[in-house]
Amino acid sequence: GLVIAGGPNAFGPGGYYSTVLDDVSPLSSLVREEVPEVAMTFVLDRSGSMNAVEAGATRMDLARRATMEAIQLLGERSLAALVAFDSVANRLLPLRSTADPRPFRDALGTLVAGGGTSIYPALVEAYDVVAASDAETRHVVVMTDGLSQEGDFDEVLGRIRSLGVDTTFVGIGDAASRGQLRRLAELGGGSLHFARDARALPGVSAVEDSSEA
């Protein structure tokens, strides 16, 4: 037999939800009434190395799936925006309601991996997104698989933090630079996570907002 137990960090976003334990449990791990209302900005690496395969899927596919499942965790009254980057950055979607997931799915479907890795311009774009929002709870999540070109990270992450917004970094796969991402997470006031399993990423993306709301 199997006994499943857990506390506030196990059930709900960031816990057992969308894992093997959720599949075998007779109860859903998604507690919708506790999902906070937030404005979330997802920043996705689309560099060439995102075509590499991890656990049977490309890193780009892992990032897409993680983003979509995290959007579903946010609830219908929240907002989300999408920013993608390689050597440059662009806004795929401005902040919009997560009640309809189709625009997010369509925008993510246009991503093609190629080019270098430069997180700095993506953070500048993310700052513009969160600065234009008056949501009480705002958060930025950056997903990347490599080592970024340098930029004035102290300045841009400081500006984001001055808005009361933390930035969390998620390293996808073994090639992600732990040292650089650890420094960026510290500057951004957020958390640092590493994952190779697509089913672990959505909880990582959503749990930050659960703890802040």
Side-chain angles (χ1 to χ4, degrees):
L2 174 66
V3 176
I4 301 176
N9 293 326
F11 297 98
Y16 296 154
Y17 175 74
S18 192
T19 68
V20 174
L21 286 177
D22 195 19
D23 292 342
V24 301
S25 173
L27 301 175
S28 172
S29 295
L30 180 56
V31 186
R32 291 194 177 275
E33 53 267 35
E34 294 184 3
V35 177
E37 298 175 25
V38 300
M40 191 88 158
T41 302
F42 295 95
V43 180
L44 283 71
D45 189 343
R46 64 177 176 201
S47 63
S49 58
M50 290 291 283
N51 275 325
V53 174
E54 298 281 350
T58 67
R59 294 169 183 167
M60 181 64 74
D61 287 338
L62 298 185
R64 287 193 189 100
R65 177 177 174 180
T67 302
M68 284 307 306
E69 292 200 17
I71 286 171
Q72 292 170 352
L73 284 172
L74 290 176
E76 295 184 351
R77 292 177 293 177
S78 294
L79 304 171
L82 300 177
V83 174
F85 70 93
D86 43 46
S87 297
V88 297
N90 72 290
R91 196 179 311 183
L92 298 179
L93 276 182
L95 278 174
R96 59 177 297 142
S97 171
T98 56
D100 183 2
R102 289 173 297 180
F104 298 97
R105 188 176 294 109
D106 292 344
L108 290 170
T110 66
L111 287 176
V112 177
T117 305
S118 185
I119 295 176
Y120 175 75
L123 292 175
V124 173
E125 190 70 29
Y127 170 82
D128 291 340
V129 172
V130 296
S133 171
D134 58 0
E136 183 176 350
T137 301
R138 296 167 291 176
H139 200 83
V140 176
V141 172
V142 180
M143 300 184 198
T144 182
D145 74 333
L147 175 65
S148 171
Q149 300 173 22
E150 284 298 323
D152 195 350
F153 294 121
D154 296 73
E155 186 272 339
V156 68
L157 287 169
R159 283 199 291 149
I160 294 174
R161 289 193 73 178
S162 71
L163 300 173
V165 180
D166 291 341
T167 304
T168 284
F169 290 82
V170 180
I172 303 175
D174 295 331
S177 173
R178 292 179 178 270
Q180 184 182 61
L181 294 183
R182 184 176 297 108
R183 178 170 68 90
L184 295 182
E186 290 174 354
L187 290 173
S191 302
L192 172 62
H193 306 272
F194 289 91
R196 296 183 63 197
D197 184 354
R199 307 196 74 178
L201 289 173
V204 165
S205 302
V207 70
E208 304 299 330
D209 298 282
S210 301
S211 63
E212 288 185 12

